[in-house]
Amino acid sequence: MTKPHGALLVGSVNYDDAEKTLRTAAEVLGPLLKRIPDGEVGRRFHWIMFQPDVLGEAEGIERIGAEPVWLRDLDARPLRIADGADPSSLQLPPLGYADAAIESYEIFRRLRDEGAIADGVRFQVSLPTAVAVVGSFFFGDDREAIEPAYTAALLRELEQIITAIPAGDLAVQWDVASEIGIIERASGYGSTMEAWWDGDPFDGLVSRLVALVDAVPESVEVGVHLCYGDAGERHFVEPSDAGTLVRFANAVLSRARRDLTWLHLPVPIERDDDPFYAPLAELAPVAELYLGLVHREDGVEGAERRIAAASKVVPAFGVATECGIGRAPAGTTEGIFETHAAVAPPW
């Protein structure tokens, strides 16, 4: 059986501050990790759900509905372009990702200087795609109208991050969930997830993600996390096998000008059967592959069953959770970390 090596923390971690995330990950997982995220703490705890609060401050963008839709302290009401507003003239505010990354990197650097984080480990910044935010919070013709402005704002955030953080210390991960929902025509928040551009939806999704991957300089590591959603710890659709993930990943790998440093693929908890993993035989080579087969519900025993099934097809991989663990029950984080360490030796 293939023995996996190394681990990836997908992004969010259920701690209240970045220092605890960085310090604990380094203590428990240490040599398994090539990069460590800050845990997406604060208002980023629920992935993109803070973006309506940010975008709702822009002149020409309005909230839909009179009453807030509270998600803890976030107002998750969707958005619309105001009547009479010119979409091409919208000035979006800073999205919050660069400010958070720069602040957390200073903590990362201090911990490294103290010896708590090993030299050579990179600081990981996870970013959403424009497809995720536009598709989640805008509707109808507003999606096509707002996408260029949001994409430009997202790339400004990336530029600030790569300017402020030394390239040798930085790793950027693109979080790709809504794209998989669109390919699968899944039901998200009560309606079918659909593309809003002309032409083949799959090709449009690939070209958009390739542009984001290629926007990261060669000197900076870049990874892609594919996802089937994690609202209430449930997928927006249950995959029949890994085929959609492989088809989409292969298309991105073949069209990107630069190489991916790593690719993460989710593995549902109940899938330790050979048919789920069979499509992985067709996956194009990637420097680091991580399979999200660690689940808190069945720990080491369940992870080892899924590792045994995957190893029949995949010659080398590391381990991860399916998605971030920022919304996992309180008190479970260390156990999840320890499961990673129990099933995968260090690099």
Side-chain angles (χ1 to χ4, degrees):
M1 183 180 79
T2 299
K3 187 71 173 178
H5 279 80
L8 175 76
L9 293 181
V10 176
S12 65
V13 175
N14 193 13
Y15 288 137
D16 291 333
D17 63 87
E19 179 163 352
K20 184 170 184 180
T21 299
L22 293 163
R23 189 182 293 277
T24 307
E27 287 175 354
V28 179
L29 295 172
L32 275 78
L33 297 175
K34 291 188 175 184
R35 50 199 74 89
I36 306 177
D38 72 351
E40 299 177 13
V41 295
R43 62 179 181 167
R44 293 172 294 140
F45 81 98
H46 207 295
W47 194 37
I48 59 175
M49 298 306 289
F50 75 102
Q51 286 294 279
D53 278 341
V54 173
L55 299 176
E57 296 298 314
E59 185 175 352
I61 294 180
E62 300 175 341
R63 306 303 289 267
I64 298 174
E67 297 297 325
V69 178
W70 293 115
L71 180 64
R72 209 158 77 184
D73 57 347
L74 304 175
D75 181 0
R77 276 181 297 167
L79 304 158
R80 66 182 297 271
I81 298 174
D83 293 338
D86 178 5
S88 65
S89 300
L90 290 174
Q91 300 294 318
L92 301 187
L95 304 180
Y97 294 104
D99 288 344
I102 293 166
E103 180 180 348
S104 292
Y105 173 68
E106 292 305 314
I107 300 170
F108 173 92
R109 187 168 63 175
R110 172 170 56 80
L111 292 175
R112 186 180 58 190
D113 290 345
E114 294 173 3
I117 294 175
D119 290 341
V121 175
R122 295 195 182 213
F123 177 64
Q124 178 181 321
V125 177
S126 298
L127 298 172
T129 64
V131 168
V133 174
V134 170
S136 296
F137 302 120
F138 291 87
F139 302 98
D141 292 341
D142 282 356
R143 289 175 169 175
E144 183 177 5
I146 196 66
E147 186 184 6
Y150 190 85
T151 300
L154 186 60
L155 292 175
R156 287 194 296 270
E157 299 284 308
L158 175 64
E159 181 63 29
Q160 291 176 46
I161 291 166
I162 62 179
T163 299
I165 300 176
D169 285 352
L170 180 61
V172 173
Q173 175 176 279
W174 294 108
D175 292 339
V176 182
S178 297
E179 288 83 347
I180 303 301
I182 291 171
I183 294 168
E184 297 277 23
R185 293 192 56 80
S187 176
Y189 305 103
S191 61
T192 301
M193 301 171 73
E194 295 180 317
W196 51 88
W197 51 86
D198 293 334
D200 180 44
F202 185 88
D203 287 345
L205 293 168
V206 171
S207 64
R208 283 162 169 79
L209 182 54
V210 164
L212 295 177
V213 169
D214 286 341
V216 180
E218 290 277 0
S219 55
V220 174
E221 293 186 341
V222 65
V224 167
H225 153 51
L226 300 186
C227 188
Y228 269 88
D230 186 41
E233 296 191 299
R234 294 179 62 86
H235 303 135
F236 39 65
V237 66
E238 291 300 329
S240 58
D241 57 33
T244 294
L245 301 171
V246 169
R247 184 166 73 97
F248 188 59
N250 282 350
V252 172
L253 288 164
S254 68
R255 287 172 55 175
R257 292 193 304 272
R258 63 155 298 169
D259 292 335
L260 276 188
T261 313
W262 77 92
L263 172 67
H264 169 274
L265 304 179
V267 178
I269 189 170
E270 68 277 4
R271 302 308 294 268
D272 57 10
D273 56 297
D274 292 347
F276 178 82
Y277 300 91
L280 294 177
E282 304 302 321
L283 182 65
V286 63
E288 297 173 34
L289 172 66
Y290 294 93
L291 298 182
L293 44 71
V294 171
H295 292 265
R296 64 175 177 82
E297 295 90 343
D298 60 8
V300 172
E301 185 275 330
E304 288 183 338
R305 281 190 287 104
R306 291 181 285 274
I307 288 169
S311 67
K312 298 175 184 177
V313 182
V314 185
F317 59 92
V319 301
T321 51
E322 246 192 333
C323 193
I325 57 173
R327 291 152 319 266
T332 63
T333 303
E334 289 88 345
I336 296 169
F337 283 1
E338 289 163 0
T339 298
H340 288 74
V343 300
W347 288 102

